[in-house]
Amino acid sequence: MTPCSRSFRSFKVAPYIRDVADHLHRTDIEVRTLDELLDSVLGAQQARVGTWQNDDMRRISAWAAIFAIPTMVAGVYGMNFERMPELGWTYGYPLAVGLMVIAAGALHRAFRRNGWL
């Protein structure tokens, strides 16, 4: 026997040590439970932030698609072709601008219906 174990027997502290061990076990269980709860709350918050970011990216992508149509048409007209049928036509440019507005408006309406905007 070790000297320490003899002193425990002589003072009869074994029940007290068992009580302390029981309190320590209960505290350990509480700490583990709170740790799991905190992990769950943190995971839920991260999922919520991810959802917000997805909504923002969806909105940004929708606006980028809407502005891509006029950019493309303006890019074609900016190439300075000599033989484009609508260059000599009186209503060529108003038609091009009207098509850009109609296409952008149709995309805007579609994105609004789908809840992207």
Side-chain angles (χ1 to χ4, degrees):
M1 269 205 223
T2 63
C4 192
S5 64
R6 270 187 272 142
S7 65
F8 285 144
R9 286 188 179 164
S10 63
F11 290 118
K12 297 182 182 179
V13 294
Y16 298 111
I17 292 177
R18 274 188 239 119
D19 187 44
V20 169
D22 183 49
H23 285 293
L24 181 64
H25 180 70
R26 287 182 189 173
T27 304
D28 181 49
I29 290 173
E30 272 188 55
V31 167
R32 288 177 195 249
T33 302
L34 290 174
D35 185 45
E36 290 173 5
L37 180 64
L38 185 61
D39 283 342
S40 299
V41 169
L42 183 62
Q45 179 62 20
Q46 285 177 339
R48 193 173 179 189
V49 167
T51 302
W52 289 339
Q53 288 175 343
N54 286 341
D55 289 342
D56 289 343
M57 287 305 297
R58 189 178 303 142
R59 207 169 273 118
I60 291 168
S61 298
W63 282 111
I66 290 170
F67 286 116
I69 292 173
T71 303
M72 180 193 67
V73 174
V76 169
Y77 273 95
M79 290 185 197
N80 295 326
F81 289 118
E82 290 181 17
R83 295 185 184 176
M84 290 180 72
E86 53 274 352
L87 287 179
W89 190 37
T90 307
Y91 301 109
Y93 284 111
L95 178 67
V97 171
L99 285 175
M100 286 190 278
V101 169
I102 289 170
L107 271 180
H108 185 268
R109 184 176 179 197
F111 287 137
R112 290 288 287 229
R113 277 188 182 173
N114 291 331
W116 283 39
L117 294 177

